[in-house]
Amino acid sequence: MPKDDFIAAGSKAAGGWGALKSCGKQLLKTGKPFAGARAMLHANQPDGFDCPGCAWGDPEHGSSFEFCENGVKAVAWEATKARVTPDFFAAHTVTDLRGWTDHDLEHQGRLTHPMRYDAATDRYLPVDWDDAFAEIGAALRGMKPDQAEFYTSGRASNEAAFLYQTFVRLYGTNNFPDCSNMCHEASGVALTDAIGIGKGTVQLEDFEKADAIFVFGQNPGTNHPRMLADLRKAAARGARVVVFNPLKEKGLQRFADPQNKVEMLLGGSEPTSTDFFQPRLGGDMAAVRGMSKVVLAEGTLDHDFIARHCHGFDDWRAAVEATDWPQIEDQSGLTRAQIETAARIYMQAGSVIATWAMGITQHRHSVATIREIANFMFLRGNIGRPGAGLCPVRGHSNVQGDRTVGINEKAPAALIDAMERELGVTLPRREGHNVLAAIGAMLDGSARAFVGLGGNFARATPDSPLIARALSGLDLTVHVATKLNHSHLLPGRASFILPCLGRTEIDKSPTGIRQIVTVEDSMSMVHGSGGINLPASAALKSEIAIVAGIAAATVGSDVVDWQAMAADYDLIRDMIARVLPGFEGYNTRVRQPRGFWLRNPAAEREWRTATQRATFSADALPEATEWQGRGEGGFVLQTFRSHDQYNTTIYGLDDRYRGVYGERQVVFMNPRDMEAMGAAPGDRMDVIGPAEDGVERVALGFRLVPHDMPQGCVAGYYPELNVLVPLSMFGIGSDTPASKSIPVAFRKP
Ligand SMILES: Nc1nc2c(c(=O)[nH]1)N[C@H]1C(S)=C(S)[C@@H](COP(=O)(O)OP(=O)(O)OC[C@H]3O[C@@H](n4cnc5c(=O)[nH]c(N)nc54)[C@H](O)[C@@H]3O)O[C@H]1N2
Ligand SMILES: Nc1nc2c(c(=O)[nH]1)N[C@H]1C(S)=C(S)[C@@H](COP(=O)(O)OP(=O)(O)OC[C@H]3O[C@@H](n4cnc5c(=O)[nH]c(N)nc54)[C@H](O)[C@@H]3O)O[C@H]1N2
Ligand SMILES: [Mo]
């Protein structure tokens, strides 16, 4: 067999028949294809559930169906008829299960019963809900609150997250490590300082009005496929869609809309971008600064906006003028001529949107890079008017909402004040732990408990082997989850898996009322979500009921009547409305079709920054990016997602758009680099990560895949390559693991 038989030409365009075929396959895999198909018709519809796939907004005038191939995968994954029952746990020791892959674990299906770890038999055994809550409560009461870490993954609803933060703060800590610490934290930090709110300012309608859309560091074809339809529409009406991505991602070139009958019959596809630039990893700040240099030299600025709304322009201008072209070209990997081309598109456009995701946020200099994007947009007043603005495209479907409702280790004073007024008690104000601090506390022994509201902490975090040791050294680990994953297989002294309802499932109150939850998308639209499928098991509880159960057993029900809250989510929303600005009339407004828009002051040119203005930041370019600092034979590695995965959930082994089939142990590389190493496509190589701290980091036997990308930059899949990401490499000001710029080298096995 040829050694590169897993590589084939990728699809010609994103979407199209390949996407439809894949949808069909995914629905068949559920074992209940008709229920799955029916479920999809309710995805992102006013009467249905919010698709758990991504955080892209829903259009005002919904098409007859509003979902995508990867939304189908996410729903099918949850709607599977496979089950992980107590019998499954009886048949396998935890040590045995630790040898399984992520893919094999999750494919066993939905968790059905609450389970408690039994060290004597090395197995999880069934436990009653009430016993589990009582034991967890007793364990938490037996430690200092700051010794416990309360993780949140961004799928949790506003109601679950709000109740969780209420409980955790009443218990006495602000330890809220959160998946967004590994995701868009840099966007939150940078935008809060620049525009006074850590969120984007555009709405979906703005994509219909923009003259140019600059897309930095994201792969919507896989990760927010519904965005492709908006990009394509923009390109078709003559807007410029300017992409910055080291990889020529398929979805950012052409898209065949599976919801367009004519196109599907004729096999056509349309461009999703008009201009494509391939910077080096971590080179975007230089590229954006280069564009600003051109605009400052030859463009028309929005002097009125700068004078009336901005602070710090002169300092920033001086910093830009002091940055020389050789540094900009070397760092960005783009030529001055390319940067001038992009800058002229910006200058000619009346209104511009800038979007970005992990290709920008997961670097050491991501906060400064996002500030630079904001600087660039301020130049021509491209914020707070139709068709213009900043748009960090969020990851998990409710990661933005979780932050809004209080999952925040920094304990914002306004939130704590309001919570204290509401509850009539004093709450902690000291800063708690983010992901990095939580890991530090676990490693140095000061943390004793981990509670995870969803997610897969052990696999999503850097330095996986270290984290595994840290988690299994704890006194208590609790995982609220839908499916079995590796984090559950690192039990502390007492350990529980608490299975919950998924978002697609009917959630009935004790009196038989069908409950809805709410979520917030990347465009700050808050809307309802109610499941339509029968629960995977009669023993499941909702996340809210589980949080309420743990809370009641830990802090008692004197201050908050947890059971009443869990019985009627309207009561939780009423409390949110009393505590958080912008949620007035929550219960009424969320029942309107498509929900409501959470007011964003920056979108109306009201700046809640320290200077009360939109604030330029005059950071210098990094002295050297990881690419510039690489040594002899060195490369810089980014870890990203394949088309067949949702974070640590691996649906399948194909990456159709990039032409890789049946294999995840791969590294994408420029063919010239491959040749220079004397290697050929399909060769297996060991990838060696940083070891300055004495920790050996190696990923064994990864196969090389040639790809159109800058030399010296390579790419491969997370979570497999997390063994190479050191805890010590993280974003300045964001603490986000720098999982898109890891210095690596290769060696023949
Ligand atoms: N189907 C599916 N949907 C998802 C997810 C999923 O795993 N599967 N995950 C969800 C989550 S939590 C998130 S955060 C989002 C993630 O959405 P993305 O941000 O699209 O995720 P990645 O796969 O990490 O892709 C990063 C992209 O940035 C590019 N890139 C990397 N480094 C650089 C750089 O230095 N400069 C530039 N300009 N580009 C760079 C990469 O080539 C790649 O195209 O998607 C969400 N939606
Ligand atoms: N190297 C590298 N590391 C990364 C990244 C990267 O690009 N490169 N990306 C980072 C990013 S952007 C993120 S957001 C994190 C993701 O980190 P996490 O959010 O922690 O991880 P997920 O893989 O999304 O979590 C999957 C698990 O969530 C559980 N789950 C699914 N649905 C539900 C539900 O409805 N309720 C509950 N309670 N549980 C549910 C299932 O048990 C499943 O196994 O990873 C980060 N890590
Ligand atoms: Mo994310």
Side-chain angles (χ1 to χ4, degrees):
M1 221 199 298
K3 62 185 175 181
D4 61 353
D5 62 330
F6 66 102
I7 309 171
S11 333
K12 282 199 203 73
W17 286 109
L20 274 196
K21 205 167 93 190
S22 164
C23 286
K25 231 167 62 185
Q26 297 301 326
L27 291 175
L28 279 175
K29 269 207 238 163
T30 61
K32 344 183 247 193
F34 295 107
R38 188 174 60 95
M40 287 321 300
L41 295 177
H42 291 262
N44 298 325
Q45 296 298 321
D47 64 336
F49 57 87
D50 180 67
C51 178
C54 76
W56 190 249
D58 307 326
E60 185 94 38
H61 322 285
S63 60
S64 55
F65 40 99
E66 182 53 35
F67 59 88
C68 68
E69 175 193 354
N70 280 350
V72 172
K73 287 181 196 163
V75 169
W77 174 92
E78 192 170 287
T80 173
K81 77 174 187 198
R83 297 286 179 269
V84 171
T85 61
D87 288 347
F88 172 86
F89 285 108
H92 303 281
T93 64
V94 167
T95 307
D96 163 32
L97 291 171
R98 266 202 296 271
W100 293 29
T101 63
D102 299 288
H103 175 262
D104 289 345
L105 284 178
E106 292 213 16
H107 275 256
Q108 300 313 305
R110 291 286 299 280
L111 294 159
T112 60
H113 285 80
M115 307 296 290
R116 173 177 48 196
Y117 182 63
D118 175 52
T121 56
D122 187 29
R123 282 180 170 80
Y124 273 102
L125 307 177
V127 60
D128 283 340
W129 278 108
D130 286 340
D131 293 343
F133 293 151
E135 282 181 46
I136 294 165
L140 287 173
R141 275 183 277 116
M143 56 185 82
K144 295 194 191 101
D146 283 340
Q147 291 178 313
E149 307 292 347
F150 294 89
Y151 180 67
T152 313
S153 169
R155 209 177 268 198
S157 64
N158 282 355
E159 290 75 6
F162 181 79
L163 210 61
Y164 189 55
Q165 66 88 29
T166 305
F167 152 56
V168 172
R169 294 198 155 105
L170 269 174
Y171 170 60
T173 183
N174 287 308
N175 285 349
F176 288 110
D178 161 21
C179 74
S180 72
N181 299 145
M182 300 180 270
C183 185
H184 262 295
E185 188 72 38
S187 306
V189 172
L191 294 181
T192 301
D193 289 346
I195 61 169
I197 182 168
K199 301 182 187 185
T201 63
V202 303
Q203 294 185 257
L204 213 45
E205 296 75 63
D206 289 308
F207 283 80
E208 295 167 12
K209 297 175 189 146
D211 300 310
I213 301 165
F214 280 63
V215 181
F216 297 96
Q218 65 180 118
N219 181 22
T222 288
N223 297 316
H224 339 273
R226 290 179 301 130
M227 180 179 180
L228 293 189
D230 295 295
L231 293 182
R232 178 182 122 135
K233 264 189 264 160
R237 66 174 169 78
R240 299 291 282 264
V241 180
V242 185
V243 174
F244 289 80
N245 198 310
L247 267 79
K248 277 273 178 85
E249 302 282 23
K250 197 69 59 175
L252 290 168
Q253 297 174 67
R254 299 190 76 80
F255 175 57
D257 188 352
Q259 306 192 4
N260 177 329
K261 292 186 199 75
V262 177
E263 196 156 280
M264 293 302 283
L265 282 174
L266 300 181
S269 64
E270 297 276 340
T272 47
S273 65
T274 56
D275 303 83
F276 210 114
F277 300 97
Q278 292 177 275
R280 292 190 175 118
L281 291 173
D284 299 83
M285 183 176 178
V288 177
R289 176 146 299 183
M291 288 194 284
S292 293
K293 211 170 158 73
V294 180
V295 180
L296 283 172
E298 39 181 277
T300 319
L301 310 186
D302 187 339
H303 291 291
D304 183 56
F305 177 79
I306 294 171
R308 292 214 336 221
H309 288 281
C310 295
H311 172 88
F313 174 67
D314 293 331
D315 288 348
W316 172 73
R317 175 179 208 140
V320 175
E321 281 164 0
T323 315
D324 60 19
W325 277 108
Q327 171 73 331
I328 289 172
E329 288 187 304
D330 190 45
Q331 210 158 86
S332 68
L334 301 174
T335 63
R336 181 171 176 171
Q338 285 176 306
I339 292 173
E340 283 170 350
T341 303
R344 286 184 191 126
I345 297 170
Y346 175 81
M347 289 188 276
Q348 281 154 16
S351 51
V352 180
I353 292 175
T355 79
W356 68 91
M358 297 304 103
I360 295 299
T361 63
Q362 295 177 331
H363 289 284
R364 200 163 0 202
H365 303 282
S366 39
V367 172
T369 303
I370 296 161
R371 292 298 297 269
E372 194 66 14
I373 292 174
N375 295 339
F376 174 61
M377 296 291 279
F378 295 157
L379 262 186
R380 287 176 45 86
N382 273 311
I383 182 165
R385 58 185 173 81
L390 297 162
C391 181
V393 182
R394 300 282 160 174
H396 266 299
S397 49
N398 197 39
V399 63
Q400 182 157 319
D402 291 348
R403 250 305 147 75
T404 303
V405 301
I407 302 297
N408 188 339
E409 79 284 357
K410 294 200 180 80
L415 171 73
I416 304 294
D417 292 343
M419 289 291 295
E420 287 185 343
R421 271 198 305 275
E422 168 72 18
L423 302 173
V425 296
T426 306
L427 297 175
R429 288 178 185 258
R430 61 193 171 279
E431 187 169 328
H433 292 163
N434 62 8
V435 163
L436 211 59
I439 292 172
M442 289 183 205
L443 288 172
D444 72 19
S446 56
R448 294 177 53 198
F450 175 91
V451 179
L453 185 60
N456 188 358
F457 189 81
R459 294 291 281 160
T461 43
D463 266 334
S464 326
L466 274 179
I467 307 296
R469 229 177 309 139
L471 268 179
S472 43
L474 298 175
D475 290 331
L476 174 70
T477 54
V478 179
H479 299 279
V480 181
T482 49
K483 288 218 179 163
L484 185 62
N485 67 44
H486 272 285
S487 299
H488 311 157
L489 304 175
L490 300 160
R493 260 173 288 286
S495 187
F496 297 84
I497 302 175
L498 305 179
C500 64
L501 292 170
R503 201 180 280 168
T504 57
E505 287 165 338
I506 296 168
D507 182 356
K508 273 203 183 144
S509 75
T511 55
I513 297 166
R514 239 162 130 141
Q515 307 235 49
I516 59 161
V517 294
T518 57
V519 295
E520 177 184 342
D521 66 29
S522 290
M523 283 89 189
S524 306
M525 291 297 297
V526 181
H527 52 92
S529 172
I532 61 144
N533 287 337
L534 287 176
S537 140
L540 298 185
K541 283 185 184 291
S542 71
E543 287 182 336
I544 294 164
I546 296 172
V547 170
I550 297 175
T554 309
V555 299
S557 299
D558 293 347
V559 177
V560 176
D561 184 347
W562 305 103
Q563 294 319 326
M565 294 274 183
D568 182 358
Y569 304 166
D570 277 5
L571 299 179
I572 307 177
R573 283 185 285 269
D574 284 340
M575 183 166 159
I576 295 177
R578 288 192 297 271
V579 167
L580 294 172
F583 284 92
E584 300 77 15
Y586 198 178
N587 271 311
T588 320
R589 285 198 291 159
V590 84
R591 287 185 167 86
Q592 298 158 356
R594 311 266 159 214
F596 65 95
W597 182 64
L598 204 54
R599 184 174 172 259
N600 177 326
E604 294 165 4
R605 296 194 167 181
E606 182 192 323
W607 319 105
R608 299 192 178 165
T609 56
T611 60
Q612 302 291 309
R613 289 177 158 236
T615 305
F616 279 91
S617 132
D619 285 320
L621 287 189
E623 260 176 36
T625 60
E626 272 62 34
W627 185 85
Q628 288 174 308
R630 79 204 194 291
E632 178 77 17
F635 287 82
V636 183
L637 168 80
Q638 65 151 320
T639 54
F640 60 12
R641 293 149 175 82
S642 83
H643 193 58
D644 261 2
Q645 78 182 80
Y646 194 92
N647 297 340
T648 68
T649 294
I650 311 302
Y651 301 129
L653 303 180
D654 296 345
D655 194 1
R656 197 171 77 245
Y657 296 159
R658 300 194 187 109
V660 171
Y661 296 88
E663 179 69 274
R664 284 184 57 88
Q665 299 238 36
V666 299
V667 170
F668 297 90
M669 186 182 267
N670 183 301
R672 278 189 298 255
D673 283 338
M674 227 178 265
E675 227 173 86
M677 285 199 310
D683 279 358
R684 285 201 187 270
M685 299 288 262
D686 296 342
V687 197
I688 321 283
E692 288 82 15
D693 52 0
V695 179
E696 200 192 347
R697 297 183 177 83
V698 193
L700 297 174
F702 277 61
R703 303 175 83 175
L704 300 182
V705 181
H707 207 80
D708 182 349
M709 57 200 289
Q711 284 192 258
C713 297
V714 291
Y717 303 133
Y718 128 83
E720 287 83 347
L721 287 170
N722 255 340
V723 289
L724 301 178
V725 183
L727 275 169
S728 57
M729 293 190 65
F730 49 83
I732 301 164
S734 69
D735 283 3
T736 300
S739 43
K740 296 281 192 278
S741 51
I742 304 304
V744 295
F746 291 88
R747 123 189 128 196
K748 294 218 162 93

